[in-house]
């Protein structure tokens, strides 16, 4: 995988995906190493972030490399040609991680940059989040094959990446969204509107914010259509007894997920968040 981009989960094979996950588990035991000594990661953010920013920077620190945080608005990405600007980052740095507004933007950055480009989230994909989600499922269930993953709520970029991942590892994904909010990436996932059907017999239940970054102007409409999709104790009761709950965070407690579910023993949400660090270390070591 050395030198390659990671823009969507389909940039890796099913075998490579499993290798990244298995490597992440090994890295949890090691924590610090010298493997990226002298290497620099440019981190470009056009949108806000807590987890992506801190997990990637910490990953570089623990591997003895360095990360540069670039606020999009303080760079000439705002006024220059994306490919030219990205080319320069590649001349200085060993890899680029970028959170951008559109998938076309990450494609342009990858086209311009000769070093590995990692998608830190765009409007269609959040592949780094899907890696952490898959690792959390593997750690808690010990397998993927035959598991039912139910998604309730908005068919977000995280949903797109997770259902790509589910297909690659052999999980059955059942996605329940209001009409008009379906995931945009085509996979073998079953797309329905009934949240109870997604939850029934599920091994994993996942949700995401109803108002993703960039959709703030739609708040009123979204608050009208999404409440039947809330991940609460009644919905969780339809799933298997050992069903785990995931959410990429940040969560709006009391909206897409209730606090009693989020703080329940079935919630693996904070393990999932921590796993961003471990999967990103594995990814950086594979790509750089
Ligand atoms: N889940 C996630 O990507 O978190 P941030 O937006 O805080 O980076």
């Amino acid at each position: 995988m050395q030198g390659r981009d990671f823009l969507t989960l389909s940039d890796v094979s099913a075998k490579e995906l499993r290798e990244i996950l298995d490597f992440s588990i090994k890295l949890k035991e090691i924590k610090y190493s010298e493997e990226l000594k002298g290497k620099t990661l440019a981190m470009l953010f056009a949108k806000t972030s807590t987890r992506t920013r801190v997990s990637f920077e910490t990953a570089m620190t623990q591997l003895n490399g360095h990360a540069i945080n670039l606020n999009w608005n303080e760079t000439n990405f705002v006024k220059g040609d994306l490919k030219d600007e990205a080319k320069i980052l590649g001349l200085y740095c060993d890899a680029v991680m970028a959170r951008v507004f559109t998938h076309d933007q990450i494609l342009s950055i990858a086209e311009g940059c000769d070093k590995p480009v990692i998608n830190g989230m765009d409007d269609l994909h959040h592949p780094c989040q899907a890696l952490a989600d898959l690792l959390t499922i593997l750690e808690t269930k010990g397998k993927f094959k035959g598991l039912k993953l139910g998604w309730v709520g908005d068919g977000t970029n995280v949903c797109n990446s997770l259902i790509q991942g589910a297909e690659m590892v052999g999980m059955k994904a059942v996605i329940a969204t209001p009409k008009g909010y379906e995931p945009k990436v085509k996979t073998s996932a079953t797309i329905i509107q009934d949240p109870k059907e997604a939850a029934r017999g599920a091994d994993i239940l996942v949700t995401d914010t109803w108002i993703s970054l960039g959709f703030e102007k739609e708040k009123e409409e979204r608050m009208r259509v999404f409440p039947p999709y809330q991940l609460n104790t009644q919905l969780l009761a339809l799933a298997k007894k050992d069903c785990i709950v995931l959410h990429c965070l940040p969560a709006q407690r009391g909206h897409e997920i209730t606090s009693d579910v989020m703080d329940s023993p079935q919630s693996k949400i904070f393990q999932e968040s921590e796993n961003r660090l471990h999967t990103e270390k594995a990814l950086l070591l594979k790509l750089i």
Side-chain angles (χ1 to χ4, degrees), residues 114-162:
D114 289 335
K115 298 287 169 53
V117 173
I118 298 169
N119 185 353
M121 195 181 87
D122 61 36
D123 59 334
L124 285 183
H125 296 274
H126 198 350
C128 296
Q129 184 63 52
L131 287 182
D133 296 2
L134 292 172
L135 178 60
T136 311
I137 294 166
L138 185 60
E139 286 179 322
T140 51
K141 300 289 176 190
K143 62 172 189 175
F144 290 118
K145 290 248 178 313
L147 297 180
K148 175 178 173 180
L149 180 146
W151 177 285
V152 288
D154 194 8
T156 61
N157 42 16
V158 174
C159 182
N160 286 330
S161 289
L162 191 52

Side-chain angles (χ1 to χ4, degrees), residues 189-200:
T190 303
I191 312 294
I192 55 173
Q193 289 172 18
D194 181 358
K196 290 191 181 118
E197 271 315 298
R200 197 160 284 124

